[in-house]
Amino acid sequence: MNPDNFVTNHGETVEHEWVADASFDTDYNLDVDESEIETQQLKAVISNPSDEAFKRLEGRGSTPEYELTVPSDADVQVDREGRPDRFRVRGDYCEVAEVRHDKHPMADMEKKTVVVAGLDGR
């Protein structure tokens, strides 16, 4: 079974949010009211973050909340203009901290992994 089929068959529905057209205020902060924000529902296999994810992100000031395996064609970005993409996972609002293409350790197949960090108060 390839990773996309696994995600489709066993994943949970999450909400993916991204800035489609960014507008900034005079201090070059994202103006959420003037920006175009888009959302979509997609399937993701949700797991606890790995020890490696904690180590990679600790120097960036992020604490990973979840690791998501998403469909390979999902356009998820950490460096999108305006701000990183966001997810709502199991009721928690999270921001993308890392996107990587890696291999499943046991199945030896390529997959797309998104590491998200929790947002306080959204």
Side-chain angles (χ1 to χ4, degrees), residues 3 31 70 94 104:
D31 185 337
V70 299
C94 303
H104 188 281

Side-chain angles (χ1 to χ4, degrees), residues 8 10 51:
T8 299
H10 301 286
D51 290 339

